[in-house]
Amino acid sequence: MRRLRHLTSQHRIAATNRLLGGLLAFNAGAVNAGGYLVVGMYTSHMTGFASMLSDNLVLGNITLVLGALGTLLAFTAGAAATAVLVHWARQHHLRSEYALPLLCEALLLLVFGLIGATLNRQTPFAVPLTVLVLAFTMGLQNAVVSKLSSSQIRTTHMTGVITDLGIELGKLLYMNRQDSPLASRVRANRVKLRLYGTLLSAFVVGGLVGATGFKYVGFIWVVPLALLLLGLSLPPLVADLVRPRHRHL
């Protein structure tokens, strides 16, 4: 429980990064899979949208070009918003530098869950507002995890995670020669194996939960996800409110 209270605090250790990464990967998997059932697009990773932009520029399909461009810009804006919030909090000596972006994500998901059915209006980018909101939200989340883990953890897309998992599995299965020096032997990093396995498993389980929830409950299913993020972000925020900040003279 003590670790849970400090998941979004300033001081980071590998164990809390792994636990927070798993929780946020679960959240991203749920939003990604559930969002697909609602808007017909995966919004947690941008590879497909970048390819869509290139392909349809060649094909001359301006509608799909605008849709891909809008989604990419929304995701980028979310990541940029995280950077602004984190650095603003640091300059003001706040303990909630990582909690602020997650609070914003929680509020956006809460709005999406409560009034998501009314957000299906078209935008200048030829995709519904729901797509842009989800992409912005995932940009927020991916950037905050990247910042707090020094770019070692990603939670909204699994390509890099699966690649790194495969590399470590290859090392684990590699047969070293018996007469090779110990210092030169290939060894798997079991800490990384646990991390990548946790992220991938959490994303898949989150996808199952999200798809099931959206299918049978609808938009309101996002509310528990928003409450999870709210619970993660509140302790540092409360600490900033109730304790005086250290001020540099």
Side-chain angles (χ1 to χ4, degrees):
M1 291 303 296
R2 183 179 181 183
R3 185 183 297 176
L4 288 175
R5 290 197 300 270
H6 296 284
L7 280 179
T8 53
S9 67
Q10 291 173 303
H11 305 292
R12 312 303 308 166
I13 61 174
T16 53
N17 283 348
R18 183 170 62 251
L19 181 53
L20 180 61
L23 290 171
L24 294 181
F26 173 89
N27 179 72
V31 171
N32 192 48
Y36 180 79
L37 295 183
V38 175
V39 299
M41 294 181 181
Y42 293 116
T43 54
S44 74
H45 47 279
M46 294 294 105
T47 305
F49 288 103
S51 297
M52 183 189 298
L53 178 64
S54 301
D55 291 344
N56 288 285
L57 275 172
V58 174
L59 296 173
N61 191 329
I62 302 303
T63 299
L64 291 180
V65 168
L66 288 174
L69 179 62
T71 307
L72 290 167
L73 290 175
F75 191 95
T76 304
T82 286
V84 170
L85 290 170
V86 168
H87 289 290
W88 178 85
R90 286 177 181 174
Q91 289 187 348
H92 288 79
H93 315 298
L94 299 176
R95 301 171 179 86
S96 53
E97 60 185 80
Y98 301 122
L100 285 172
L102 291 182
L103 175 64
C104 292
E105 182 183 356
L107 295 176
L108 284 171
L109 286 180
L110 192 61
V111 170
F112 180 81
L114 295 176
I115 63 171
T118 67
L119 298 177
N120 58 356
R121 65 187 65 180
Q122 289 297 314
T123 66
F125 292 104
V127 290
L129 185 58
T130 48
V131 174
L132 302 184
V133 170
L134 289 178
F136 182 89
T137 301
M138 290 294 95
L140 275 171
Q141 175 175 307
N142 201 48
V144 71
V145 177
S146 179
K147 292 285 286 184
L148 65 83
S149 69
S150 300
S151 299
Q152 295 180 4
I153 299 176
R154 297 287 194 274
T155 60
T156 64
H157 51 279
M158 292 293 107
T159 303
V161 170
I162 295 171
T163 300
D164 292 336
L165 179 62
I167 290 172
E168 295 303 326
L169 286 174
K171 292 179 181 179
L172 184 67
L173 298 173
Y174 184 80
M175 300 294 292
N176 290 287
R177 291 174 53 183
Q178 292 297 323
D179 59 348
S180 62
L182 291 177
S184 65
R185 292 189 178 185
V186 176
R187 292 182 175 87
N189 188 322
R190 296 180 184 274
V191 174
K192 288 185 177 181
L193 271 174
R194 288 195 297 272
L195 171 61
Y196 301 140
T198 297
L199 294 175
L200 179 58
S201 300
F203 190 89
V204 172
V205 172
L208 291 171
V209 172
T212 302
F214 272 93
K215 181 178 180 180
Y216 294 106
V217 180
F219 285 93
I220 198 69
W221 186 250
V222 175
V223 173
L225 301 177
L227 294 178
L228 169 64
L229 294 176
L230 194 61
L232 292 175
S233 61
L234 280 180
L237 291 165
V238 171
D240 281 332
L241 291 174
V242 301
R243 285 186 283 178
R245 300 199 303 271
H246 173 72
R247 296 183 182 274
H248 293 286
L249 297 178

Short mmCIF file of all heavy atoms in Angstrom, two decimals, residues 36-103:
data_model
loop_
_atom_site.label_atom_id
_atom_site.label_comp_id
_atom_site.label_asym_id
_atom_site.label_seq_id
_atom_site.Cartn_x
_atom_site.Cartn_y
_atom_site.Cartn_z
N TYR A 36 -11.80 1.11 -30.16
CA TYR A 36 -11.98 0.55 -31.50
C TYR A 36 -13.43 0.15 -31.73
O TYR A 36 -13.99 0.34 -32.82
CB TYR A 36 -11.07 -0.65 -31.71
CG TYR A 36 -11.21 -1.27 -33.08
CD1 TYR A 36 -10.59 -0.70 -34.18
CD2 TYR A 36 -11.99 -2.41 -33.27
CE1 TYR A 36 -10.73 -1.26 -35.43
CE2 TYR A 36 -12.14 -2.96 -34.52
CZ TYR A 36 -11.51 -2.39 -35.61
OH TYR A 36 -11.67 -2.93 -36.85
N LEU A 37 -14.05 -0.41 -30.69
CA LEU A 37 -15.46 -0.81 -30.83
C LEU A 37 -16.37 0.40 -31.00
O LEU A 37 -17.43 0.31 -31.61
CB LEU A 37 -15.89 -1.62 -29.60
CG LEU A 37 -15.20 -2.97 -29.39
CD1 LEU A 37 -15.78 -3.67 -28.18
CD2 LEU A 37 -15.34 -3.85 -30.63
N VAL A 38 -15.94 1.55 -30.46
CA VAL A 38 -16.77 2.75 -30.52
C VAL A 38 -16.52 3.55 -31.79
O VAL A 38 -17.47 3.97 -32.46
CB VAL A 38 -16.51 3.64 -29.28
CG1 VAL A 38 -17.27 4.95 -29.38
CG2 VAL A 38 -16.89 2.90 -28.01
N VAL A 39 -15.26 3.77 -32.14
CA VAL A 39 -14.94 4.65 -33.26
C VAL A 39 -14.30 3.93 -34.44
O VAL A 39 -14.03 4.53 -35.47
CB VAL A 39 -14.02 5.80 -32.81
CG1 VAL A 39 -14.70 6.65 -31.75
CG2 VAL A 39 -12.69 5.28 -32.30
N GLY A 40 -14.02 2.62 -34.29
CA GLY A 40 -13.45 1.86 -35.39
C GLY A 40 -11.99 2.15 -35.66
O GLY A 40 -11.49 1.85 -36.75
N MET A 41 -11.28 2.72 -34.68
CA MET A 41 -9.86 3.02 -34.85
C MET A 41 -9.12 2.74 -33.55
O MET A 41 -9.66 2.95 -32.46
CB MET A 41 -9.64 4.51 -35.22
CG MET A 41 -10.18 4.90 -36.56
SD MET A 41 -9.84 6.67 -36.90
CE MET A 41 -10.59 6.85 -38.51
N TYR A 42 -7.88 2.26 -33.68
CA TYR A 42 -7.00 2.12 -32.52
C TYR A 42 -6.28 3.44 -32.31
O TYR A 42 -5.59 3.93 -33.21
CB TYR A 42 -5.99 0.99 -32.74
CG TYR A 42 -6.61 -0.39 -32.82
CD1 TYR A 42 -6.55 -1.14 -33.98
CD2 TYR A 42 -7.26 -0.93 -31.71
CE1 TYR A 42 -7.10 -2.41 -34.05
CE2 TYR A 42 -7.82 -2.19 -31.77
CZ TYR A 42 -7.74 -2.92 -32.94
OH TYR A 42 -8.30 -4.18 -33.00
N THR A 43 -6.40 3.99 -31.13
CA THR A 43 -5.89 5.35 -30.91
C THR A 43 -4.73 5.43 -29.93
O THR A 43 -4.28 6.52 -29.59
CB THR A 43 -7.02 6.26 -30.39
OG1 THR A 43 -7.61 5.65 -29.22
CG2 THR A 43 -8.09 6.46 -31.43
N SER A 44 -4.21 4.28 -29.48
CA SER A 44 -3.14 4.34 -28.50
C SER A 44 -1.75 4.36 -29.13
O SER A 44 -0.77 4.64 -28.45
CB SER A 44 -3.24 3.15 -27.52
OG SER A 44 -2.82 1.96 -28.15
N HIS A 45 -1.63 4.04 -30.41
CA HIS A 45 -0.33 4.05 -31.08
C HIS A 45 -0.50 4.67 -32.46
O HIS A 45 -1.53 4.53 -33.10
CB HIS A 45 0.26 2.64 -31.17
CG HIS A 45 -0.70 1.60 -31.64
ND1 HIS A 45 -1.62 1.00 -30.81
CD2 HIS A 45 -0.89 1.05 -32.86
CE1 HIS A 45 -2.32 0.12 -31.49
NE2 HIS A 45 -1.93 0.14 -32.74
N MET A 46 0.54 5.32 -32.91
CA MET A 46 0.43 6.18 -34.08
C MET A 46 1.06 5.60 -35.36
O MET A 46 1.00 6.24 -36.41
CB MET A 46 1.10 7.53 -33.78
CG MET A 46 0.39 8.33 -32.70
SD MET A 46 -1.29 8.86 -33.20
CE MET A 46 -2.31 7.71 -32.26
N THR A 47 1.62 4.41 -35.31
CA THR A 47 2.27 3.83 -36.49
C THR A 47 1.30 3.71 -37.66
O THR A 47 1.60 4.09 -38.80
CB THR A 47 2.87 2.45 -36.16
OG1 THR A 47 3.75 2.57 -35.05
CG2 THR A 47 3.62 1.89 -37.36
N GLY A 48 0.13 3.18 -37.37
CA GLY A 48 -0.86 3.01 -38.43
C GLY A 48 -1.32 4.32 -39.03
O GLY A 48 -1.53 4.42 -40.25
N PHE A 49 -1.45 5.34 -38.20
CA PHE A 49 -1.89 6.64 -38.70
C PHE A 49 -0.80 7.30 -39.54
O PHE A 49 -1.10 7.98 -40.53
CB PHE A 49 -2.30 7.55 -37.54
CG PHE A 49 -3.59 7.15 -36.90
CD1 PHE A 49 -3.60 6.48 -35.69
CD2 PHE A 49 -4.80 7.43 -37.51
CE1 PHE A 49 -4.80 6.10 -35.10
CE2 PHE A 49 -6.01 7.05 -36.94
CZ PHE A 49 -6.00 6.37 -35.72
N ALA A 50 0.46 7.11 -39.15
CA ALA A 50 1.54 7.65 -39.97
C ALA A 50 1.58 6.98 -41.33
O ALA A 50 1.76 7.64 -42.37
CB ALA A 50 2.88 7.46 -39.25
N SER A 51 1.35 5.65 -41.35
CA SER A 51 1.29 4.93 -42.63
C SER A 51 0.08 5.36 -43.44
O SER A 51 0.15 5.52 -44.67
CB SER A 51 1.25 3.42 -42.38
OG SER A 51 2.43 2.98 -41.75
N MET A 52 -1.05 5.55 -42.76
CA MET A 52 -2.26 6.00 -43.44
C MET A 52 -2.04 7.36 -44.10
O MET A 52 -2.49 7.60 -45.24
CB MET A 52 -3.42 6.10 -42.44
CG MET A 52 -4.75 6.50 -43.06
SD MET A 52 -6.02 6.86 -41.80
CE MET A 52 -6.14 5.26 -40.98
N LEU A 53 -1.33 8.24 -43.41
CA LEU A 53 -1.05 9.56 -43.96
C LEU A 53 -0.22 9.44 -45.24
O LEU A 53 -0.56 10.05 -46.26
CB LEU A 53 -0.30 10.40 -42.92
CG LEU A 53 0.13 11.80 -43.34
CD1 LEU A 53 -1.08 12.68 -43.63
CD2 LEU A 53 1.00 12.43 -42.25
N SER A 54 0.83 8.65 -45.20
CA SER A 54 1.71 8.49 -46.37
C SER A 54 0.97 7.84 -47.53
O SER A 54 1.03 8.32 -48.67
CB SER A 54 2.93 7.65 -45.98
OG SER A 54 3.66 8.25 -44.94
N ASP A 55 0.29 6.73 -47.24
CA ASP A 55 -0.40 5.99 -48.30
C ASP A 55 -1.43 6.84 -49.02
O ASP A 55 -1.51 6.86 -50.25
CB ASP A 55 -1.07 4.74 -47.73
CG ASP A 55 -0.07 3.70 -47.27
OD1 ASP A 55 1.10 3.79 -47.67
OD2 ASP A 55 -0.46 2.80 -46.50
N ASN A 56 -2.22 7.55 -48.23
CA ASN A 56 -3.33 8.29 -48.83
C ASN A 56 -2.91 9.62 -49.45
O ASN A 56 -3.64 10.17 -50.27
CB ASN A 56 -4.44 8.47 -47.80
CG ASN A 56 -5.16 7.17 -47.53
OD1 ASN A 56 -5.95 6.71 -48.33
ND2 ASN A 56 -4.85 6.55 -46.40
N LEU A 57 -1.73 10.11 -49.06
CA LEU A 57 -1.18 11.23 -49.81
C LEU A 57 -0.87 10.80 -51.24
O LEU A 57 -1.13 11.53 -52.20
CB LEU A 57 0.09 11.75 -49.13
CG LEU A 57 -0.09 12.76 -47.99
CD1 LEU A 57 1.24 13.02 -47.30
CD2 LEU A 57 -0.69 14.07 -48.51
N VAL A 58 -0.32 9.60 -51.37
CA VAL A 58 -0.02 9.07 -52.71
C VAL A 58 -1.30 8.77 -53.47
O VAL A 58 -1.42 9.06 -54.68
CB VAL A 58 0.85 7.80 -52.60
CG1 VAL A 58 1.04 7.16 -53.97
CG2 VAL A 58 2.20 8.14 -51.98
N LEU A 59 -2.29 8.20 -52.78
CA LEU A 59 -3.54 7.81 -53.43
C LEU A 59 -4.47 9.00 -53.67
O LEU A 59 -5.45 8.88 -54.41
CB LEU A 59 -4.27 6.76 -52.59
CG LEU A 59 -3.53 5.42 -52.42
CD1 LEU A 59 -4.28 4.53 -51.43
CD2 LEU A 59 -3.38 4.72 -53.77
N GLY A 60 -4.18 10.12 -53.03
CA GLY A 60 -5.00 11.31 -53.23
C GLY A 60 -6.29 11.29 -52.45
O GLY A 60 -7.23 12.04 -52.77
N ASN A 61 -6.38 10.47 -51.40
CA ASN A 61 -7.60 10.41 -50.58
C ASN A 61 -7.46 11.43 -49.45
O ASN A 61 -6.94 11.14 -48.37
CB ASN A 61 -7.78 9.00 -50.01
CG ASN A 61 -9.15 8.81 -49.39
OD1 ASN A 61 -9.75 9.75 -48.87
ND2 ASN A 61 -9.66 7.59 -49.46
N ILE A 62 -7.93 12.63 -49.70
CA ILE A 62 -7.73 13.74 -48.78
C ILE A 62 -8.47 13.52 -47.46
O ILE A 62 -7.99 13.93 -46.39
CB ILE A 62 -8.17 15.07 -49.42
CG1 ILE A 62 -7.38 15.31 -50.71
CG2 ILE A 62 -7.96 16.23 -48.45
CD1 ILE A 62 -5.87 15.31 -50.51
N THR A 63 -9.61 12.86 -47.50
CA THR A 63 -10.36 12.62 -46.26
C THR A 63 -9.56 11.80 -45.27
O THR A 63 -9.45 12.14 -44.08
CB THR A 63 -11.69 11.90 -46.57
OG1 THR A 63 -12.49 12.72 -47.43
CG2 THR A 63 -12.46 11.61 -45.30
N LEU A 64 -8.95 10.71 -45.75
CA LEU A 64 -8.14 9.88 -44.87
C LEU A 64 -6.85 10.57 -44.47
O LEU A 64 -6.35 10.36 -43.36
CB LEU A 64 -7.85 8.54 -45.54
CG LEU A 64 -9.05 7.62 -45.73
CD1 LEU A 64 -8.64 6.32 -46.41
CD2 LEU A 64 -9.73 7.31 -44.39
N VAL A 65 -6.31 11.39 -45.35
CA VAL A 65 -5.12 12.17 -45.00
C VAL A 65 -5.43 13.09 -43.83
O VAL A 65 -4.66 13.19 -42.86
CB VAL A 65 -4.62 12.98 -46.21
CG1 VAL A 65 -3.58 14.00 -45.78
CG2 VAL A 65 -4.03 12.06 -47.26
N LEU A 66 -6.56 13.79 -43.90
CA LEU A 66 -6.94 14.71 -42.83
C LEU A 66 -7.19 13.96 -41.52
O LEU A 66 -6.81 14.43 -40.44
CB LEU A 66 -8.19 15.49 -43.23
CG LEU A 66 -7.99 16.56 -44.31
CD1 LEU A 66 -9.34 17.14 -44.72
CD2 LEU A 66 -7.06 17.66 -43.82
N GLY A 67 -7.84 12.80 -41.62
CA GLY A 67 -8.10 12.01 -40.42
C GLY A 67 -6.82 11.57 -39.74
O GLY A 67 -6.67 11.68 -38.52
N ALA A 68 -5.87 11.07 -40.53
CA ALA A 68 -4.59 10.64 -39.97
C ALA A 68 -3.81 11.82 -39.40
O ALA A 68 -3.24 11.74 -38.31
CB ALA A 68 -3.77 9.94 -41.05
N LEU A 69 -3.82 12.93 -40.12
CA LEU A 69 -3.10 14.12 -39.66
C LEU A 69 -3.68 14.63 -38.34
O LEU A 69 -2.94 14.97 -37.41
CB LEU A 69 -3.17 15.21 -40.72
CG LEU A 69 -2.48 16.54 -40.38
CD1 LEU A 69 -0.99 16.33 -40.16
CD2 LEU A 69 -2.74 17.57 -41.48
N GLY A 70 -4.99 14.69 -38.25
CA GLY A 70 -5.63 15.16 -37.02
C GLY A 70 -5.31 14.28 -35.83
O GLY A 70 -5.03 14.78 -34.72
N THR A 71 -5.31 12.97 -36.04
CA THR A 71 -5.02 12.05 -34.95
C THR A 71 -3.57 12.16 -34.50
O THR A 71 -3.26 12.17 -33.30
CB THR A 71 -5.32 10.60 -35.38
OG1 THR A 71 -6.66 10.52 -35.89
CG2 THR A 71 -5.20 9.65 -34.21
N LEU A 72 -2.66 12.27 -35.46
CA LEU A 72 -1.24 12.44 -35.13
C LEU A 72 -1.01 13.74 -34.36
O LEU A 72 -0.25 13.78 -33.38
CB LEU A 72 -0.40 12.43 -36.40
CG LEU A 72 -0.27 11.07 -37.12
CD1 LEU A 72 0.33 11.26 -38.51
CD2 LEU A 72 0.61 10.13 -36.31
N LEU A 73 -1.67 14.81 -34.81
CA LEU A 73 -1.51 16.09 -34.12
C LEU A 73 -2.09 16.04 -32.71
O LEU A 73 -1.51 16.63 -31.78
CB LEU A 73 -2.18 17.20 -34.93
CG LEU A 73 -1.49 17.59 -36.24
CD1 LEU A 73 -2.33 18.62 -37.00
CD2 LEU A 73 -0.09 18.16 -35.97
N ALA A 74 -3.21 15.34 -32.53
CA ALA A 74 -3.82 15.24 -31.21
C ALA A 74 -2.92 14.47 -30.25
O ALA A 74 -2.72 14.87 -29.10
CB ALA A 74 -5.19 14.56 -31.31
N PHE A 75 -2.34 13.37 -30.72
CA PHE A 75 -1.43 12.59 -29.89
C PHE A 75 -0.19 13.42 -29.53
O PHE A 75 0.25 13.44 -28.37
CB PHE A 75 -1.01 11.33 -30.64
CG PHE A 75 -0.28 10.31 -29.80
CD1 PHE A 75 -0.97 9.26 -29.21
CD2 PHE A 75 1.09 10.40 -29.60
CE1 PHE A 75 -0.30 8.32 -28.43
CE2 PHE A 75 1.77 9.47 -28.83
CZ PHE A 75 1.08 8.42 -28.24
N THR A 76 0.35 14.13 -30.52
CA THR A 76 1.51 14.98 -30.29
C THR A 76 1.19 16.09 -29.29
O THR A 76 1.99 16.41 -28.40
CB THR A 76 2.00 15.59 -31.60
OG1 THR A 76 2.28 14.54 -32.54
CG2 THR A 76 3.24 16.43 -31.40
N ALA A 77 0.00 16.68 -29.42
CA ALA A 77 -0.41 17.74 -28.50
C ALA A 77 -0.52 17.20 -27.08
O ALA A 77 -0.17 17.89 -26.11
CB ALA A 77 -1.73 18.33 -28.96
N GLY A 78 -1.01 15.97 -26.93
CA GLY A 78 -1.09 15.37 -25.61
C GLY A 78 0.28 15.19 -24.98
O GLY A 78 0.49 15.51 -23.80
N ALA A 79 1.24 14.71 -25.78
CA ALA A 79 2.61 14.55 -25.27
C ALA A 79 3.21 15.90 -24.92
O ALA A 79 3.90 16.04 -23.89
CB ALA A 79 3.47 13.84 -26.31
N ALA A 80 2.96 16.91 -25.75
CA ALA A 80 3.48 18.25 -25.48
C ALA A 80 2.86 18.82 -24.20
O ALA A 80 3.55 19.48 -23.40
CB ALA A 80 3.20 19.17 -26.67
N ALA A 81 1.58 18.56 -23.99
CA ALA A 81 0.92 19.04 -22.78
C ALA A 81 1.55 18.43 -21.53
O ALA A 81 1.72 19.10 -20.51
CB ALA A 81 -0.57 18.72 -22.84
N THR A 82 1.90 17.15 -21.61
CA THR A 82 2.58 16.51 -20.48
C THR A 82 3.90 17.20 -20.19
O THR A 82 4.23 17.48 -19.03
CB THR A 82 2.82 15.02 -20.78
OG1 THR A 82 1.58 14.30 -20.68
CG2 THR A 82 3.81 14.42 -19.79
N ALA A 83 4.68 17.48 -21.23
CA ALA A 83 5.97 18.15 -21.04
C ALA A 83 5.79 19.51 -20.37
O ALA A 83 6.55 19.87 -19.46
CB ALA A 83 6.69 18.30 -22.38
N VAL A 84 4.79 20.26 -20.81
CA VAL A 84 4.52 21.58 -20.22
C VAL A 84 4.17 21.44 -18.74
O VAL A 84 4.70 22.15 -17.87
CB VAL A 84 3.39 22.29 -20.98
CG1 VAL A 84 2.94 23.53 -20.23
CG2 VAL A 84 3.85 22.66 -22.39
N LEU A 85 3.28 20.49 -18.42
CA LEU A 85 2.85 20.31 -17.04
C LEU A 85 3.99 19.85 -16.13
O LEU A 85 4.15 20.35 -15.00
CB LEU A 85 1.69 19.30 -16.98
CG LEU A 85 0.37 19.78 -17.57
CD1 LEU A 85 -0.61 18.62 -17.68
CD2 LEU A 85 -0.23 20.90 -16.73
N VAL A 86 4.78 18.90 -16.62
CA VAL A 86 5.88 18.37 -15.81
C VAL A 86 6.90 19.46 -15.52
O VAL A 86 7.33 19.65 -14.37
CB VAL A 86 6.54 17.17 -16.51
CG1 VAL A 86 7.86 16.80 -15.83
CG2 VAL A 86 5.60 15.97 -16.50
N HIS A 87 7.30 20.22 -16.54
CA HIS A 87 8.32 21.24 -16.33
C HIS A 87 7.78 22.42 -15.53
O HIS A 87 8.52 23.03 -14.75
CB HIS A 87 8.89 21.68 -17.67
CG HIS A 87 9.74 20.64 -18.33
ND1 HIS A 87 10.97 20.27 -17.84
CD2 HIS A 87 9.50 19.84 -19.41
CE1 HIS A 87 11.49 19.32 -18.60
NE2 HIS A 87 10.61 19.03 -19.55
N TRP A 88 6.51 22.75 -15.70
CA TRP A 88 5.90 23.81 -14.88
C TRP A 88 5.91 23.40 -13.42
O TRP A 88 6.26 24.20 -12.53
CB TRP A 88 4.47 24.06 -15.35
CG TRP A 88 3.77 25.10 -14.53
CD1 TRP A 88 3.82 26.45 -14.69
CD2 TRP A 88 2.90 24.86 -13.41
NE1 TRP A 88 3.04 27.07 -13.73
CE2 TRP A 88 2.47 26.13 -12.94
CE3 TRP A 88 2.45 23.71 -12.77
CZ2 TRP A 88 1.60 26.26 -11.86
CZ3 TRP A 88 1.60 23.84 -11.67
CH2 TRP A 88 1.18 25.10 -11.22
N ALA A 89 5.55 22.14 -13.14
CA ALA A 89 5.54 21.66 -11.76
C ALA A 89 6.94 21.66 -11.16
O ALA A 89 7.14 22.00 -9.99
CB ALA A 89 4.93 20.26 -11.69
N ARG A 90 7.93 21.28 -11.96
CA ARG A 90 9.31 21.27 -11.46
C ARG A 90 9.78 22.68 -11.11
O ARG A 90 10.41 22.90 -10.08
CB ARG A 90 10.24 20.66 -12.51
CG ARG A 90 10.13 19.15 -12.63
CD ARG A 90 11.03 18.61 -13.72
NE ARG A 90 10.88 17.17 -13.84
CZ ARG A 90 11.47 16.44 -14.80
NH1 ARG A 90 12.24 17.04 -15.70
NH2 ARG A 90 11.28 15.13 -14.84
N GLN A 91 9.46 23.63 -11.98
CA GLN A 91 9.89 25.00 -11.72
C GLN A 91 9.22 25.60 -10.50
O GLN A 91 9.76 26.51 -9.86
CB GLN A 91 9.63 25.87 -12.95
CG GLN A 91 10.56 25.54 -14.12
CD GLN A 91 10.39 26.52 -15.28
OE1 GLN A 91 9.45 27.30 -15.32
NE2 GLN A 91 11.32 26.47 -16.22
N HIS A 92 8.03 25.08 -10.17
CA HIS A 92 7.31 25.57 -8.99
C HIS A 92 7.50 24.64 -7.79
O HIS A 92 6.80 24.78 -6.79
CB HIS A 92 5.82 25.73 -9.32
CG HIS A 92 5.53 26.87 -10.23
ND1 HIS A 92 5.72 26.81 -11.60
CD2 HIS A 92 5.07 28.13 -9.98
CE1 HIS A 92 5.39 27.96 -12.15
NE2 HIS A 92 4.99 28.78 -11.19
N HIS A 93 8.45 23.69 -7.90
CA HIS A 93 8.82 22.81 -6.80
C HIS A 93 7.63 22.03 -6.26
O HIS A 93 7.46 21.86 -5.05
CB HIS A 93 9.48 23.60 -5.66
CG HIS A 93 10.51 24.57 -6.15
ND1 HIS A 93 11.66 24.17 -6.83
CD2 HIS A 93 10.56 25.94 -6.12
CE1 HIS A 93 12.37 25.24 -7.16
NE2 HIS A 93 11.73 26.32 -6.74
N LEU A 94 6.80 21.52 -7.17
CA LEU A 94 5.65 20.71 -6.80
C LEU A 94 6.01 19.23 -6.76
O LEU A 94 6.86 18.77 -7.52
CB LEU A 94 4.50 20.92 -7.78
CG LEU A 94 3.93 22.33 -7.89
CD1 LEU A 94 2.86 22.39 -8.97
CD2 LEU A 94 3.36 22.79 -6.55
N ARG A 95 5.35 18.51 -5.88
CA ARG A 95 5.55 17.06 -5.81
C ARG A 95 4.74 16.32 -6.87
O ARG A 95 4.95 15.14 -7.10
CB ARG A 95 5.15 16.55 -4.42
CG ARG A 95 5.93 17.18 -3.27
CD ARG A 95 5.33 16.79 -1.94
NE ARG A 95 6.07 17.35 -0.81
CZ ARG A 95 5.86 18.55 -0.30
NH1 ARG A 95 4.94 19.33 -0.83
NH2 ARG A 95 6.57 18.97 0.72
N SER A 96 3.82 17.01 -7.49
CA SER A 96 2.84 16.37 -8.38
C SER A 96 3.21 16.51 -9.85
O SER A 96 2.33 16.53 -10.71
CB SER A 96 1.46 16.97 -8.14
OG SER A 96 1.50 18.38 -8.24
N GLU A 97 4.50 16.59 -10.17
CA GLU A 97 4.89 16.82 -11.56
C GLU A 97 4.42 15.71 -12.49
O GLU A 97 4.08 15.96 -13.65
CB GLU A 97 6.40 16.98 -11.66
CG GLU A 97 7.21 15.78 -11.19
CD GLU A 97 8.70 16.07 -11.20
OE1 GLU A 97 9.20 16.71 -10.26
OE2 GLU A 97 9.36 15.65 -12.15
N TYR A 98 4.39 14.46 -12.01
CA TYR A 98 3.91 13.36 -12.83
C TYR A 98 2.41 13.11 -12.65
O TYR A 98 1.76 12.49 -13.49
CB TYR A 98 4.67 12.07 -12.51
CG TYR A 98 6.15 12.19 -12.72
CD1 TYR A 98 7.05 11.94 -11.69
CD2 TYR A 98 6.67 12.57 -13.96
CE1 TYR A 98 8.43 12.06 -11.89
CE2 TYR A 98 8.04 12.70 -14.15
CZ TYR A 98 8.90 12.44 -13.12
OH TYR A 98 10.25 12.56 -13.31
N ALA A 99 1.88 13.59 -11.54
CA ALA A 99 0.46 13.38 -11.26
C ALA A 99 -0.43 14.31 -12.07
O ALA A 99 -1.56 13.94 -12.44
CB ALA A 99 0.19 13.57 -9.77
N LEU A 100 0.05 15.51 -12.38
CA LEU A 100 -0.78 16.47 -13.11
C LEU A 100 -1.24 15.95 -14.47
O LEU A 100 -2.43 16.06 -14.80
CB LEU A 100 -0.03 17.79 -13.26
CG LEU A 100 0.06 18.66 -12.00
CD1 LEU A 100 1.00 19.84 -12.23
CD2 LEU A 100 -1.33 19.16 -11.60
N PRO A 101 -0.35 15.39 -15.31
CA PRO A 101 -0.82 14.85 -16.59
C PRO A 101 -1.83 13.71 -16.41
O PRO A 101 -2.78 13.59 -17.18
CB PRO A 101 0.45 14.37 -17.29
CG PRO A 101 1.55 15.12 -16.63
CD PRO A 101 1.13 15.31 -15.22
N LEU A 102 -1.60 12.86 -15.39
CA LEU A 102 -2.53 11.76 -15.16
C LEU A 102 -3.88 12.28 -14.66
O LEU A 102 -4.93 11.70 -14.97
CB LEU A 102 -1.95 10.77 -14.16
CG LEU A 102 -0.75 9.96 -14.65
CD1 LEU A 102 -0.30 8.97 -13.58
CD2 LEU A 102 -1.07 9.23 -15.95
N LEU A 103 -3.86 13.39 -13.91
CA LEU A 103 -5.12 14.00 -13.51
C LEU A 103 -5.87 14.50 -14.73
O LEU A 103 -7.10 14.30 -14.85
CB LEU A 103 -4.85 15.16 -12.55
CG LEU A 103 -6.07 15.98 -12.13
CD1 LEU A 103 -7.05 15.12 -11.34
CD2 LEU A 103 -5.65 17.20 -11.31
#
